[in-house]
Amino acid sequence: MLAATFALNVSIWIAFAAISVSQLLAMWRLFVGPHTGDRILALDTMVVNAIGTIVVVGLYQGTPLYFEVTLIIAMLGFVSTVAYARFVLRGDIIE
Amino acid sequence: MILDAIVTFAIAIFLLVGAAFTLVGSYGLMKLPDAMTRLHAPTKVGTMGVGALLLASMTHAFVTQNGSFHELLVMGFLFVTAPISANFMSKVNIHLNNCDTTPDAPDDQQWCTLVQETHTDGAPADKSDTVQS
């Protein structure tokens, strides 16, 4: 049991590190571009990475409180991605 | 006791799988050469990465407190919305000419997302010069 708890702690920290690195990689793509579609995609990936981070934080603290946060961020991320794409495509979001 | 240890190891493995897929997806977003191929990699983050992390969270909730299937909502929402947003982003790439031009549609048909004013030879008037997106 001690080994299992140790493995869980180590993998939680590995997951934090991996998600942080991937958030930085997505941020690099957001800065570099080169096209608008790449930037929208990078923002979408960053939202999904943020969801992963919050899930791991909830696992680390052992509370179920962060579930609603992930659900709301997932909805907001989808809506914002569609809004960016609509704005590029039509020049207007709500017609 | 033994079962608890096995379940804890399973949570750790789910976490590692999710972290690996998240890292691979974002590395592909950084590494892949052009806009349309770059669209491919981050889908791994949305499905496998966050899916495995939520599976770990759900297993942990079942072990430590009253378990619930709430996380399946987030998973299902991400699975449903990922193709829609990918479709929108590929439309953005097509319209901004960031990718290869689409091949001609068969017969007299046209791709519904593209501008139709290039067809001047008797295109239907109600559909001309509109961007169907």
Side-chain angles (χ1 to χ4, degrees), chain A residues 1 4 7-8 11-12 18 22 25 28-29 35 38 41 45 48-49 55 59 62 67 74-75 78 86 89-90, chain B residues 1 8 11-12 15 22-23 26 29-30 38 42 45 50 53-54 60 65 70 77 81 88-89 95 98 133:
Chain A
M1 195 61 204
L8 182 59
S11 53
I12 282 176
S22 47
L25 293 180
W28 187 82
R29 178 55 71 193
H35 305 302
D38 294 328
L41 181 61
T45 311
V48 176
N49 283 338
V55 168
L59 198 62
F67 156 71
M75 289 178 179
F78 171 67
R86 292 288 289 182
L89 284 172
R90 306 296 295 256
Chain B
M1 194 66 187
T8 312
I11 296 169
L15 268 178
T22 309
L23 196 56
S26 294
L29 176 67
M30 190 197 74
R38 250 174 249 142
V45 184
V50 175
L53 290 179
L54 287 170
H60 186 74
Q65 57 241 350
H70 281 166
F77 189 79
T81 56
F88 270 99
M89 282 182 278
H95 281 265
N98 296 334
S133 59

Side-chain angles (χ1 to χ4, degrees), chain A residues 14-45:
Chain A
I14 288 176
F16 272 133
I19 295 172
S20 308
V21 170
S22 47
Q23 191 80 302
L24 285 176
L25 293 180
M27 208 180 286
W28 187 82
R29 178 55 71 193
L30 178 65
F31 283 134
V32 170
H35 305 302
T36 313
D38 294 328
R39 295 204 164 94
I40 298 172
L41 181 61
L43 280 173
D44 191 47
T45 311

Side-chain angles (χ1 to χ4, degrees), chain B residues 63-119:
Chain B
V63 172
T64 54
Q65 57 241 350
N66 300 329
S68 63
F69 291 103
H70 281 166
E71 276 85 354
L72 286 180
L73 275 176
V74 182
M75 220 186 282
F77 189 79
L78 281 177
F79 283 11
V80 167
T81 56
I84 302 172
S85 52
N87 185 19
F88 270 99
M89 282 182 278
S90 58
K91 272 182 182 176
V92 167
N93 282 336
I94 289 174
H95 281 265
L96 295 181
N97 291 323
N98 296 334
C99 58
D100 295 342
T101 51
T102 50
D104 286 335
D107 302 334
D108 285 341
Q109 297 167 330
Q110 290 171 331
W111 301 119
C112 66
T113 189
L114 291 178
V115 183
Q116 304 193 344
E117 58 196 353
T118 55
H119 273 248

